[in-house]
Amino acid sequence: MSQNSKLSNYKKQRYFNICVIGAGYVGLVAAACFAKLGNRVICVDNDKKKIEQLKKVKVPNFEPGLEKLVKEAVRKKKLSFIHSIAKGVKDSQIIFIAVGTPPKESGEADLTALEHVARKIAEHLDSYKLIVEKSTVPVQTGLRLKESIRRYAKRCREFDIASNPEFLREGRAIDDFLKPDRVVIGVESDKAEKILQALYKPLGAPVLVTDINTAELIKHASNSFLATKISFINAISLICERAKADVSKVAEGVGMDKRIGREFLKAGIGYGGSCFPKDVLAFIQIAKKVGVDFKLLEEAKNINLYQRRHFVEKIKEELWILKNKTIAVLGVSFKPDTDDIRQAPALDIIKMLKKENANVKVYDPEAASKAKKVLGGVSFCNNVYDALYKADCLALCTEWSQFSNLDFRKIKKLMRYPFVADGRNFFDREKLQRLGFRYLGIGR
Ligand code: UDX
């Protein structure tokens, strides 16, 4: 068969045999969604316990719709879970690498797991495979991946590398996967491009094709831009506080300009989660490595951390002495609709309050059991009203929608001092003030 007719075959192919290595958050969502599109997917993880659980369709993380999707795909025999990379590689045309790239102490991404997987894939390479990076990796990782697979491949050296970053938000990952703003594919051969174009065709989303380095960079640049946007409005919020202006209205006015947009302009105690803090740190290190001092990003990170301290300072300014005062923290997850507490601003805030010897009571509808494992000397409550009993301050850290229906008349009676520190500008300030609360938001 000529090269051209082989390529047009890929173009026509609708379904692929896919192996996703890494059944973490990104890998599992990708595996389930590829299976939903009709592909046959094998999901591999070296954590035997996790694979056993997944075989019983027990999904380890709280992500709306994921368990249902996994269940359906397993039932239709489109998705299976195994422990062996060898079988996964052998049975697939496309291999997605979605293993963790956690930060080292310096902020640089630790690529140990990725390199290990590359060697394993190389060992079992027996025919042409398209090997795709899905994990968030520093620019030029694709090059190293290629070198490494070449070096360790035994029987076959026919493969392509591609980069296909994910842009999934926790809590909306399935929608973000199936209805993306864009699909980015970084490739260095026509064959790799055709395969990935065909794979993503059913989504009908705009596809941006680039070289591998550029695709890798798009991921870090996107997350860093969004994080900087949040820090920008948080810096404005400090000016608003001193100049007696309202940051919510400033954000509204600024965001009405289509070139800027309204999203990610909510001032508050800053960003957390498993992506923004890690990716910002990693991007600072990546820039350093290529000889660029990315001061803007360094500052975005500093502003983000300052917002947490500033929130505690505001509470302290109001209550004067925090020792033996009771602060009810509402929400510990890094954002609503998730039980994820990784890099959650609330954790730092609670630690700072504890350092001042305040009594901290916490309520979170989903994240309490995770938070209990990392926070000592804090009492966890079963509901908002228990947390607020005899409290001197209600400190809102995560804007769970259920907090929009609180009975503030009842709360006023329960609290020792009716004071609301609103870390997400979530509550109706005028209403609270009318009811006799002392209200402090961010930048208003
Ligand atoms: C993010 C990116 O949005 C996603 O594209 C990427 O793939 C992974 O990282 P996620 O971490 O799930 O997703 O959360 P996101 O909804 O983006 O929020 C991140 C943090 O920013 C949260 O702590 C949130 O509270 C905070 N945030 C968001 C603000 O403080 N203000 C805003 O205006 C928006």
Side-chain angles (χ1 to χ4, degrees), residues 167-170 264-266 271-272 275 334-335 424:
F167 303 97
L168 311 178
R169 282 165 297 180
E170 281 189 28
F264 282 73
L265 281 180
K266 266 195 248 132
Y271 59 79
C275 286
F334 82 95
K335 66 173 189 178
R424 299 288 182 183

Side-chain angles (χ1 to χ4, degrees), residues 119-388:
R119 277 189 284 134
K120 284 274 170 212
I121 295 172
E123 242 175 73
H124 301 288
L125 219 54
D126 56 353
S127 59
Y128 173 84
K129 310 280 171 192
L130 174 58
I131 301 159
V132 192
E133 304 165 340
K134 200 85 176 117
S135 312
T136 300
V137 292
V139 61
Q140 297 190 330
T141 299
L143 289 175
R144 304 306 298 255
L145 198 62
K146 187 158 100 183
E147 273 169 19
S148 181
I149 295 178
R150 274 225 181 101
R151 196 173 297 147
Y152 292 99
K154 286 182 184 149
R155 285 166 287 168
C156 171
R157 285 200 165 76
E158 247 194 289
F159 69 92
D160 271 313
I161 297 289
S163 161
N164 171 222
E166 56 78 21
F167 303 97
L168 311 178
R169 282 165 297 180
E170 281 189 28
R172 301 203 204 162
I174 301 201
D175 246 18
D176 282 350
F177 193 99
L178 296 172
K179 292 180 226 150
D181 289 345
R182 80 305 207 183
V183 171
V184 174
I185 54 182
V187 285
E188 49 183 14
S189 80
D190 279 353
K191 189 169 172 177
E193 181 188 337
K194 294 273 170 345
I195 295 174
L196 288 173
Q197 290 269 21
L199 175 68
Y200 281 107
K201 197 167 173 220
L203 298 185
V207 177
L208 180 69
V209 182
T210 68
D211 58 74
I212 297 177
N213 287 340
T214 304
E216 289 169 340
L217 221 117
I218 287 171
K219 169 68 195 221
H220 272 120
S222 298
N223 274 0
S224 297
F225 184 83
L226 291 171
T228 305
K229 205 172 171 191
I230 297 171
S231 283
F232 182 85
I233 201 66
N234 280 334
I236 300 281
S237 80
L238 297 179
I239 300 174
C240 287
E241 281 178 13
R242 293 194 193 150
K244 305 216 178 313
D246 183 341
V247 74
S248 313
K249 290 285 172 204
V250 173
E252 198 180 330
V254 167
M256 283 164 87
D257 184 328
K258 284 198 193 88
R259 292 169 302 173
I260 298 174
R262 292 168 187 253
E263 289 195 57
F264 282 73
L265 281 180
K266 266 195 248 132
I269 51 175
Y271 59 79
S274 65
C275 286
F276 286 173
K278 169 177 109 112
D279 290 352
V280 165
L281 278 182
F283 208 27
I284 292 171
Q285 292 305 321
I286 291 165
K288 224 176 244 168
K289 237 180 172 164
V290 296
V292 176
D293 187 3
F294 205 159
K295 289 203 188 80
L296 173 68
L297 213 47
E298 192 81 56
E299 203 42 40
K301 180 195 86 181
N302 292 338
I303 291 169
N304 192 54
L305 295 177
Y306 178 71
Q307 288 305 99
R308 303 171 184 191
R309 291 202 301 281
H310 182 59
F311 187 60
V312 174
E313 276 161 17
K314 282 168 82 124
I315 296 174
K316 199 171 162 191
E317 176 64 27
E318 178 67 20
L319 295 179
W320 185 24
I321 303 289
L322 290 182
K323 189 172 177 184
N324 298 330
K325 298 273 165 62
T326 299
I327 317 289
V329 172
L330 300 193
V332 271
S333 57
F334 82 95
K335 66 173 189 178
D337 302 322
T338 175
D339 65 347
D340 196 341
I341 56 163
R342 283 177 289 176
Q343 306 292 325
L347 296 183
D348 266 1
I349 288 164
I350 290 168
K351 281 177 197 155
M352 284 183 255
L353 292 170
K354 288 295 307 170
K355 214 164 169 198
E356 296 280 343
N357 293 312
N359 300 321
V360 180
K361 290 164 91 181
V362 174
Y363 172 72
D364 187 289
E366 294 289 342
S369 64
K370 283 193 177 162
K372 272 179 199 161
K373 291 182 190 146
V374 295
L375 290 171
V378 169
S379 45
F380 285 86
C381 303
N382 291 329
N383 62 62
V384 174
Y385 303 102
D386 282 355
L388 287 164

